[in-house]
Amino acid sequence: MRLLRLVQWGLLFLAIGLSISGCSFGSNPASSGSGGTEVASRPPAPPPEKIATADDPAAVPPSSSPPSEWRREEIPFDYDAMKEDVRIQLDTEPRLQSPIRTVVGAAPQAYTLFFREPMDRPSVEEAIRFHAKDTSQPHYVEPLLAFHWVHDRQLHVLATLSKLPDVDRAGPEYVLDAGGAKALKGKEIGEGLAFRAVAIPAGQIWRVSLDGTRKERISALTAPYFVSRALDRENRFLLAYRYREFCECDAPHIPLYAIYDVNQKELTRYPVPLTVNYRGNGDFVADRRGFFYAKPEGEGQVPESEWATPVNVKGFVHGASFSHNRRYVLMAVGAAEQKDDLDLVIRDLETGGEQRLPGAVKGTIPTSEADGSILPVTFDDAGRYATFIMRENADSLTEVRQRYDWKTEKVISWNPPVAQDVWSGYSQSDDGKYQMYYNGGLYQGAKLITELERSGMWVPGTHLLVYAKWEDGKEGKPSTESLRLYDADQRRERVILEGLPHDVGVIGASSDGKWLLVQSEQDLTD
């Protein structure tokens, strides 16, 4: 039970505490608060780009020689603002810059090196090739390298793997390092400015029929983005993220976020953290596709969106969530240092109207049992009631459980069939007949059906719960995952797919209840 308490908030929203780099590729990180702005010397982020499909020859250049399309025009750069001798950036994501160890895709990767001084070109290429040959560490490989000089201070490099990564594993790894290269005036570039790239396959999005017989790839991702959820009922927009750093440790890192449009096969990158449950100052943006972000300083720093609505509320927002129909934002508001008895503020995104119930969010703001960080107050709206949870006091795990009644416009108590001192998070079938409490099992109202404890997803229009299940390896074979359905009416479980890698995740289901949306590095048609 306690383990589920530690991951409780990750099941309802993308938690900051789970923004962990390293091997936890399947976790769902999130953050709240403002995002950093680009410094003047940083090249501007490229516009939203259409991802090349697998049959597009430009998506996978041949290793023998770089295609002519790779030889790009000069990237504008403020060299006078540089403090380091060299900066190496990944062209598809310019925010990934040396010195760094990060994850990249398995396809050929284009990099740009910016130098503070004009360089001796042969010495630069010699230094890069020298460091790339150091394969003494496990999983290190020497990439095939191609060079294109724009001028003596800007170099483009294309790195192509000679060995592709295995599914469900990180690696191989290579390094781009100009340490030891000489400037035209004789100065030598020092150590500690390398770009270390860990290659992993790009997981794709698949449509899978409920019986598992039909499988269709619907994405064309070439970068290692992980999808945490489908944002809308049509499963068109997906909330995606990639890791900024890779360290094979539990150090928290805020990821880089993007929205993937399944229909257009477009990945739109955001320079700020995105979250489905916001916490931060009262000036933020609600994108009605289903996510929030803090309003950055300045103009034109985030992609334009017809669904983005500015929100400005008096006070600090200790938690904000969308209503079931995405028309309203429910917020717990108070002073920034306030911990108890917050105001409930409901903002109408269409009219701009606001309802405020002073002190209606009673109790103390929850904190993470993992690291003590303050968690956003979350509102889970099923259409009639929006439930939310506080704690009795700062030293107690006892929950104060309440819900807002849309019909009476009042806050009332809520008494789910789980102990007061365990997390009461749940998901329910869309008709409200069944509830699956993560710490209590499957219920029909107050009646316990089975002690099934799953962080699964209900298939719309059905009483079917879908989830991934760990399968122990047999006869020395590695462990795998299976995709399963539990029929709450029939009280039966059945297998949809077996032998899946551990990265597999269910991120959505079609509104007609016929298809599941699954992300996997493995080709599900094999």
Side-chain angles (χ1 to χ4, degrees):
M1 292 293 188
R2 285 297 174 209
L3 177 60
L4 285 177
R5 288 200 59 90
L6 293 178
V7 300
Q8 55 179 282
W9 301 102
L11 299 173
L12 284 180
F13 64 91
L14 311 176
I16 296 177
L18 293 179
S19 301
I20 297 177
S21 65
C23 295
S24 303
F25 293 130
S27 61
N28 293 336
S31 55
S32 56
S34 60
T37 57
E38 301 281 344
V39 297
S41 61
R42 184 175 298 169
E49 60 185 24
K50 188 167 184 178
I51 304 300
T53 56
D55 55 3
D56 180 354
V60 184
S63 59
S64 57
S65 62
S68 59
E69 293 86 352
W70 168 64
R71 290 187 168 89
R72 301 170 51 190
E73 299 293 330
E74 179 178 3
I75 297 177
F77 193 81
D78 186 0
Y79 297 93
D80 293 337
M82 291 185 71
K83 296 181 179 179
E84 65 273 39
D85 290 334
V86 62
R87 178 179 299 178
I88 307 171
Q89 74 173 29
L90 181 65
D91 287 352
T92 55
E93 180 47 82
R95 288 173 292 178
L96 297 179
Q97 304 175 353
S98 61
I100 195 172
R101 186 180 184 222
T102 189
V103 291
V104 300
Q109 301 293 309
Y111 300 86
T112 300
L113 284 73
F114 304 96
F115 299 96
R116 185 160 57 172
E117 296 184 25
M119 300 299 296
D120 176 73
R121 297 185 185 188
S123 77
V124 172
E125 295 185 19
E126 181 181 357
I128 294 173
R129 292 190 186 279
F130 171 79
H131 292 293
K133 289 180 182 296
D134 181 10
T135 59
S136 57
Q137 299 190 50
H139 310 299
Y140 263 54
V141 298
E142 180 183 356
L144 302 174
L145 299 173
F147 301 92
H148 173 68
W149 287 90
V150 178
H151 50 67
D152 289 342
R153 299 178 75 177
Q154 186 172 130
L155 169 64
H156 295 170
V157 176
L158 188 72
T160 301
L161 286 173
S162 56
K163 174 186 177 183
L164 294 179
D166 295 325
V167 171
D168 214 17
R169 284 184 173 85
E173 182 171 355
Y174 61 90
V175 61
L176 295 181
D177 188 353
K182 293 183 178 180
L184 291 178
K185 294 183 179 179
K187 182 180 178 180
E188 193 171 283
I189 291 179
E191 299 179 350
L193 298 173
F195 192 112
R196 300 183 182 276
V198 181
I200 64 173
Q204 301 299 334
I205 312 301
W206 301 81
R207 287 204 320 160
V208 179
S209 61
L210 291 192
D211 61 5
T213 60
R214 290 175 292 170
K215 298 172 282 288
E216 174 190 353
R217 196 181 94 168
I218 61 173
S219 69
L221 291 164
T222 57
Y225 278 90
F226 304 95
V227 174
S228 59
R229 65 174 61 199
L231 292 168
D232 58 313
R233 294 179 181 87
E234 292 73 31
N235 294 326
R236 175 181 174 181
F237 298 105
L238 311 179
L239 180 58
Y241 63 94
R242 71 182 293 170
Y243 289 100
R244 187 186 295 268
E245 296 185 56
F246 179 88
C247 68
E248 296 177 294
C249 62
D250 289 340
H253 293 287
I254 296 177
L256 303 176
Y257 291 89
I259 300 297
Y260 187 73
D261 185 333
V262 173
N263 292 359
Q264 300 297 321
K265 301 290 191 295
E266 288 181 351
L267 185 77
T268 303
R269 294 169 296 183
Y270 278 74
V272 293
L274 307 181
T275 178
V276 296
N277 294 285
Y278 174 79
R279 181 177 183 273
N281 63 55
D283 191 11
F284 63 101
V285 175
D287 190 303
R288 293 179 67 176
R289 287 174 290 179
F291 61 93
F292 304 96
Y293 55 88
K295 189 176 181 180
E297 298 179 2
E299 299 294 334
Q301 297 189 33
V302 295
E304 292 184 3
S305 169
E306 60 183 291
W307 299 279
T309 303
V311 177
N312 195 307
V313 63
K314 184 178 180 180
F316 186 86
V317 179
H318 291 274
S321 307
F322 282 102
S323 65
H324 184 70
N325 61 6
R326 303 280 172 86
R327 175 172 176 172
Y328 302 93
V329 175
L330 298 97
M331 295 173 275
V333 180
E337 66 279 2
Q338 189 173 341
K339 306 295 183 185
D340 308 284
D341 301 339
L342 306 169
D343 295 349
L344 174 61
V345 177
I346 301 175
R347 172 65 61 86
D348 188 328
L349 295 178
E350 292 185 3
T351 67
E354 182 178 294
Q355 178 187 13
R356 184 181 287 257
L357 302 178
V361 184
K362 298 187 181 302
T364 301
I365 298 172
T367 55
S368 168
E369 293 176 53
D371 58 11
S373 60
I374 298 174
L375 299 171
V377 179
T378 63
F379 299 87
D380 187 5
D381 182 27
R384 171 66 193 276
Y385 301 105
T387 61
F388 55 95
I389 302 165
M390 298 283 275
R391 289 200 181 142
E392 198 170 67
N393 57 63
D395 299 320
S396 173
L397 294 177
T398 301
E399 293 184 342
V400 179
R401 298 161 176 172
Q402 303 161 89
R403 59 186 181 183
Y404 176 77
D405 187 329
W406 287 100
K407 186 175 181 180
T408 65
E409 299 185 350
K410 294 181 179 180
V411 172
I412 58 177
S413 63
W414 170 54
N415 300 298
V418 293
Q420 283 290 131
D421 63 345
V422 300
W423 180 52
S424 55
Y426 73 101
S427 64
Q428 69 175 357
S429 57
D430 55 6
D431 63 357
K433 182 177 181 179
Y434 295 103
Q435 299 78 37
M436 211 289 294
Y437 291 92
Y438 305 119
N439 271 334
L442 180 65
Y443 279 77
Q444 182 179 347
K447 179 184 177 182
L448 177 64
I449 303 301
T450 178
E451 293 185 352
L452 179 72
E453 296 179 350
R454 297 289 179 193
S455 57
M457 177 177 297
W458 291 96
V459 178
T462 75
H463 295 146
L464 302 174
L465 187 71
V466 60
Y467 49 87
K469 184 178 180 180
W470 177 285
E471 304 288 351
D472 290 329
K474 298 178 181 179
E475 299 178 355
K477 294 183 179 180
S479 60
T480 59
E481 299 270 344
S482 64
L483 199 60
R484 295 175 176 248
L485 275 177
Y486 184 84
D487 188 323
D489 291 330
Q490 301 296 323
R491 316 290 199 260
R492 286 201 303 246
E493 182 187 60
R494 61 182 173 89
V495 177
I496 304 174
L497 294 174
E498 293 182 295
L500 302 174
H502 290 298
D503 75 296
V504 70
V506 182
I507 57 178
S510 63
S511 57
D512 61 7
K514 296 180 179 180
W515 297 90
L516 304 175
L517 217 62
V518 176
Q519 184 174 33
S520 175
E521 294 176 2
Q522 180 175 302
D523 187 340
L524 298 186
T525 60
D526 290 344

